[in-house]
Amino acid sequence: MKRRYIIVISLLAISTLLATFSFITRPGDEFQFHENLSAYKFFEGALRNLQPAEGVIPYDLNTPLFSNYAEKLRFIKLPQGKKAAYQEKEIFDLPVGTILIKNFYYYNDFRKPEKGRKIIETRLLAHRHDGWATYQYIWNEEQTEAVFEPIGDAIIVSYIDNKGKKITAPYVIPNQNQCKGCHAQGNTLLPIGLAARHLNGDYQYSDGKQNQLKYWSQHNMIDLPNSAVPANANWQDKKFSLEERARAYLDINCGFCHNEKGPANTSGLFLDIHNNSPIALGINKTPVAAGRGSGDMQFDIVPGNPTKSILIYRMTSNDPGIAMPEIGREQVHKEGVALISEWIRKMK
């Protein structure tokens, strides 16, 4: 009986391993999986410098997704001779073979970036013939390599913030299923930030500052329309109105799930930039089924009163059963909370 039990366990382990490898490598895929990040040759020179190789293009978002105060360096690699297809509202239609590369790091001292940084993880989002797939790579202490780790990890990060305070905080590197929790639209995985409104802004390239989408167009990465291209506000730039900054923040941090097609569509709370319904935005709207996530409050947003608004209650919680977003953060984004609180406070 014991021997039979061992055989069953072994067969289960083998089948799991085979399933994993069939997920990683499939004949005909333009994406070829590697165990080590360095093997992709995305970067030239010392890996820790993240100096992009030819064809690996850096990009940024007008308002980025908050991730525990981590800084990010993002890159896109399109297959040779292929372009992204422009869409006004939706994520660009990116060709099979596209790889998105996102590196998460902390400066040792945010007041003095020249003191160095520690890269925590690199996430790849690869467009395969069977759809998008995620791959997580965890960096070693020596900062010489990052190794594929599908089950993720939970670590402690330490750094000095921009006010000179030493921060020690938990940081969760998601597993592949958790990645789906953020990137899924129905049964399909999609990138989050690769839309016109997020990319239509300036980037400081090695040869000077330029609008990202114009740069992409000039380098045959996309064909732009003759009409105006939408652009979200930079949530920190006060040349934009409070309304524009708050809506841009909610759009990138909440709107991918909270929209008519997203996984949170049954909530009736739509925080994407395209929603113009006050009720769907949460104003004087009762939650569908928030449970203890409501904090015994009545409305998602109470105009003029952020402390009575469920939205703020969930943004300021680290309780896994209450916090929003549900995954992807272990720290409260104080500056983001302050922005949305001010927006609600000034509502009439």
Side-chain angles (χ1 to χ4, degrees):
M1 179 64 72
K2 185 175 181 180
R3 184 178 178 184
R4 183 181 298 175
Y5 177 77
I6 293 171
I7 291 172
V8 169
I9 294 296
S10 299
L11 288 173
L12 285 171
I14 291 170
S15 64
T16 300
L17 187 62
L18 289 173
T20 300
F21 275 98
S22 67
F23 174 75
I24 291 172
T25 56
R26 289 183 180 173
D29 254 333
E30 292 194 36
F31 173 78
Q32 294 299 313
F33 168 79
H34 296 288
E35 191 79 24
N36 292 340
L37 182 65
S38 60
Y40 291 101
K41 301 190 183 302
F42 294 141
F43 306 109
E44 297 177 334
L47 191 63
R48 66 165 65 90
N49 294 334
L50 300 178
Q51 181 64 37
E54 184 177 355
V56 178
I57 308 300
Y59 72 93
D60 205 353
L61 309 183
N62 290 335
T63 290
L65 182 73
F66 173 73
S67 302
N68 293 313
Y69 290 102
E71 295 287 310
K72 301 170 191 173
L73 275 176
R74 302 171 180 83
F75 301 89
I76 181 171
K77 187 176 191 300
L78 292 172
Q80 190 170 8
K82 300 290 182 65
K83 295 182 180 182
Y86 177 87
Q87 300 190 86
E88 182 181 0
K89 293 184 178 181
E90 306 299 329
I91 300 297
F92 292 159
D93 187 2
L94 298 164
V96 170
T98 299
I99 305 174
L100 305 178
I101 308 151
K102 187 159 59 172
N103 305 278
F104 295 71
Y105 67 92
Y106 289 91
Y107 288 116
N108 296 324
D109 187 336
F110 275 75
R111 301 167 303 171
K112 300 176 181 179
E114 66 274 12
K115 285 191 171 184
R117 67 188 178 193
K118 182 176 182 180
I119 310 171
I120 305 298
E121 58 167 323
T122 296
R123 301 179 193 174
L124 305 185
L125 193 57
H127 196 184
R128 298 158 40 127
H129 283 92
D130 55 351
W132 289 91
T134 61
Y135 303 87
Q136 300 81 250
Y137 291 78
I138 299 178
W139 284 71
N140 60 19
E141 285 296 322
E142 297 77 22
Q143 300 282 275
T144 56
E145 186 62 273
V147 179
F148 177 61
E149 184 50 83
I151 63 172
D153 200 359
I155 62 172
I156 299 295
V157 294
S158 296
Y159 58 92
I160 297 174
D161 69 13
N162 54 20
K163 295 181 180 178
K165 181 180 179 181
K166 184 172 182 179
I167 303 295
T168 301
Y171 182 102
V172 174
I173 299 168
N175 61 44
Q176 287 185 308
N177 284 331
Q178 288 172 321
C179 289
K180 294 175 184 178
C182 280
H183 286 274
Q185 293 276 286
N187 294 321
T188 304
L189 259 65
L190 289 173
I192 294 176
L194 272 291
R197 65 187 184 277
H198 299 308
L199 295 169
N200 188 12
D202 289 343
Y203 188 88
Q204 185 66 50
Y205 295 97
S206 57
D207 55 353
K209 184 181 288 187
Q210 189 175 351
N211 178 277
Q212 291 185 118
L213 291 182
K214 288 182 179 178
Y215 181 93
W216 285 25
S217 177
Q218 291 169 5
H219 288 78
N220 296 314
M221 295 171 63
I222 196 169
D223 292 323
L224 296 177
N226 294 324
S227 56
V229 176
N232 272 10
N234 177 333
W235 74 283
Q236 293 179 300
D237 190 343
K238 292 191 176 181
K239 78 178 182 184
F240 296 100
S241 70
L242 177 60
E243 174 78 10
E244 290 171 324
R245 291 187 292 124
R247 290 300 304 272
Y249 182 90
L250 292 173
D251 186 35
I252 191 65
N253 283 282
C254 314
F256 193 77
C257 287
H258 281 276
N259 68 76
E260 290 183 346
K261 299 178 182 178
N265 62 351
T266 56
S267 70
L269 180 65
F270 303 145
L271 299 174
D272 60 295
I273 202 76
H274 306 301
N275 170 44
N276 293 312
S277 164
I279 289 292
L281 192 58
I283 297 173
N284 292 320
K285 174 190 170 300
T286 56
V288 173
R292 66 189 185 93
S294 68
D296 294 324
M297 298 178 195
Q298 191 173 0
F299 301 112
D300 291 328
I301 292 177
V302 178
N305 198 336
T307 60
K308 293 293 184 181
S309 300
I310 297 172
L311 181 62
I312 297 299
Y313 174 69
R314 303 195 76 169
M315 288 179 67
T316 54
S317 176
N318 280 329
D319 185 320
I322 298 172
M324 280 290 175
E326 293 179 328
I327 57 175
R329 77 161 177 87
E330 286 69 52
Q331 297 188 58
V332 173
H333 190 198
K334 295 177 182 178
E335 297 80 3
V337 170
L339 172 67
I340 303 305
S341 294
E342 183 184 3
W343 175 60
I344 293 173
R345 190 176 296 112
K346 293 187 176 179
M347 285 182 181
K348 296 180 180 178

